[in-house]
Amino acid sequence: MNLDELRQRIDDIDQQIVALLNARAELSLQIGAVKSDNEVNIYVPERERRVYDNVFQANQGPLSKEAIREIYGSILSASRALQRPLRVAYLGPAATFTHEAAKRRFGTAVEFLPARSIAEVFSETEKGESDYGVVPVENSIEGVVTHTLDMFVDSELKICAEVLLAVSHHLLGKGCLADIRKVCSHPQAIAQSRGWLQEHLPSVELVEVASTARAAEMAVLDPTIAAIGTESAADLYGLNILESHIEDSASNITRFLVIGRQMSQRSGDDRTAIMFSIRDRVGALHDTLEIFLKYGINLTKIESRPSKRKLWDYIFFVDLVGHPDDEHVAAALNELSRECVFVKVLGAWPQE
């Protein structure tokens, strides 16, 4: 076929795609009505996991898995909005990495509510001002976000999903690289780009600010200031990307948690987060961890934090493979509750 014939074929396929998308949307509206009648959540992570698995399996190329994910992320976001628009709180302001993570999980057909702190994300979600919240919990280089873990001690919110986001830092500015006299950003962004900065801008002043978005705002006003931030920040604030991918490590991943009033139901490939406090006796932690070994449960993460209620009293946070509805996990949690001072399930979600 010649060029005109190929384009006509694409136009014909586009007509079919639009018709099928609207047929799918009609079914989504019907599902929304059923959910409303039965008081079922609009966002169902385990169901969306099955949708992604189905389309990944059906994909024969040439589109990549990531391209299919992007396309279906928009479809799912639009479908949820037809049923009921969601409100999602996140650690703001706009164009931060947490904002990026929230968009990756929920798409763009959502009302995003920037919060000034992790505590405010929890508060807005607990009060029902938002349906869900998105908060950072750990970075592969900088480690755990302790404030997020501490919030779960008193909160009844549950983890229902997670987002793994590859962190790419860009140098943003109004002028050119030779004009830069000061680089501003969040402390973590500066720390994760320090090698590049020392090599390429050894004489500039490094200034830590509250967020990458705040740094972008400063760069807008002064062409001698560069910000380390996201591509979205460049678009939002009208900045040029002076240098791309200035992060020192190519394997820089940040993990974010989606919190809501209910955890996800069992999908068959899940992860569960719990917290517990052990009794003050010799071998207590050893005996506690042996319970997981007894039931063949893989622990993927363990952290300890001071309880802040009693001197030298610690709370342990554990991620494990499985779901509380799995028989062996339920048995382990039951035995754990007898061994520990207290045990709390923080949530469960389909694994990424």
Side-chain angles (χ1 to χ4, degrees):
M1 290 186 286
N2 61 35
L3 183 59
D4 288 340
E5 290 171 332
L6 289 169
R7 286 173 171 168
Q8 183 58 54
R9 179 65 179 136
I10 285 178
D11 290 344
D12 293 341
I13 292 173
D14 284 342
Q15 296 295 316
Q16 297 173 46
I17 290 173
V18 171
L20 289 171
L21 285 174
N22 279 307
R24 191 187 193 284
E26 289 290 347
L27 291 172
S28 292
L29 285 170
Q30 294 178 42
I31 288 172
V34 174
K35 286 179 177 178
S36 179
D37 290 343
N38 293 278
E39 298 184 346
V40 176
N41 287 337
I42 296 298
Y43 175 55
V44 185
E46 65 274 14
R47 167 57 186 163
E48 295 199 0
R49 166 66 184 271
R50 288 195 295 273
V51 170
Y52 280 119
D53 286 346
N54 288 339
V55 296
F56 291 157
Q57 186 175 4
N59 181 35
Q60 300 298 312
L63 287 175
S64 67
K65 179 178 178 180
E66 187 58 32
I68 293 293
R69 177 184 289 278
E70 289 291 325
I71 292 167
Y72 267 82
S74 296
I75 291 173
L76 292 172
S77 181
S79 296
R80 288 192 301 266
L82 285 173
Q83 296 173 14
R84 181 175 68 79
L86 292 179
R87 293 163 59 88
V88 177
Y90 68 94
L91 179 61
T96 58
F97 287 108
T98 310
H99 191 199
E100 292 293 306
K103 289 191 291 184
R104 180 175 176 85
R105 174 54 61 198
F106 290 99
T108 56
V110 172
E111 183 180 357
F112 289 112
L113 307 174
R116 292 166 293 184
S117 65
I118 289 171
E120 188 174 310
V121 175
F122 274 79
S123 175
E124 292 297 291
T125 309
E126 287 168 341
K127 293 185 298 184
E129 295 297 323
S130 64
D131 297 293
Y132 297 95
V134 180
V135 291
V137 69
E138 65 176 319
N139 177 264
S140 58
I141 296 174
E142 300 298 320
V144 71
V145 181
T146 57
H147 190 42
T148 295
L149 294 184
D150 292 342
M151 290 301 302
F152 284 108
V153 174
D154 296 315
S155 177
E156 292 304 313
L157 294 176
K158 299 297 183 184
I159 305 166
C160 59
E162 69 176 359
V163 184
L164 302 178
L165 189 70
V167 174
S168 291
H169 295 305
H170 306 294
L171 193 69
L172 315 178
K174 278 289 190 182
C176 62
L177 196 62
D179 298 328
I180 302 306
R181 298 292 177 266
K182 185 183 297 184
V183 173
C184 304
S185 197
H186 186 275
Q188 283 198 359
I190 292 176
Q192 293 166 13
S193 308
R194 196 172 298 277
W196 187 95
L197 292 168
Q198 288 176 348
E199 180 180 353
H200 297 278
L201 295 172
S203 61
V204 303
E205 180 185 359
L206 304 181
V207 179
E208 296 181 353
V209 296
S211 67
T212 55
R214 173 59 186 145
E217 291 173 347
M218 295 169 66
V220 169
L221 301 176
D222 188 342
T224 68
I225 293 178
I228 301 173
T230 64
E231 188 174 347
S232 294
D235 293 337
L236 180 63
Y237 293 98
L239 295 170
N240 300 318
I241 297 179
L242 306 179
E243 293 287 340
S244 298
H245 303 290
I246 68 170
E247 64 275 6
D248 296 330
S249 173
S251 57
N252 189 354
I253 306 292
T254 298
R255 179 175 167 233
F256 300 84
L257 299 178
V258 179
I259 53 175
R261 282 171 284 282
Q262 293 179 337
M263 63 183 171
S264 299
Q265 296 185 13
R266 185 179 184 274
S267 74
D269 183 19
D270 303 289
R271 186 167 295 189
T272 295
I274 65 172
M275 59 182 286
F276 59 83
S277 180
I278 58 177
R279 304 184 190 282
D280 185 13
R281 63 174 178 79
V282 175
L285 181 58
H286 174 272
D287 293 344
T288 298
L289 295 178
E290 273 208 329
I291 294 172
F292 299 108
L293 177 63
K294 173 183 176 180
Y295 290 96
I297 295 173
N298 181 25
L299 304 185
T300 59
K301 186 174 184 60
I302 182 167
E303 296 278 350
S304 64
R305 293 286 299 146
S307 70
K308 301 181 181 180
R309 295 175 180 176
K310 180 182 175 183
L311 192 63
W312 310 121
D313 184 35
Y314 286 85
I315 295 172
F316 293 88
F317 295 83
V318 168
D319 285 2
L320 59 89
V321 176
H323 191 280
D325 289 342
D326 293 339
E327 185 176 344
H328 68 300
V329 175
L333 292 176
N334 185 49
E335 187 168 334
L336 194 68
S337 66
R338 297 195 299 269
E339 180 69 28
C340 296
V341 175
F342 80 92
V343 177
K344 181 179 180 181
V345 176
L346 303 181
W349 62 93
Q351 291 198 78
E352 279 286 289

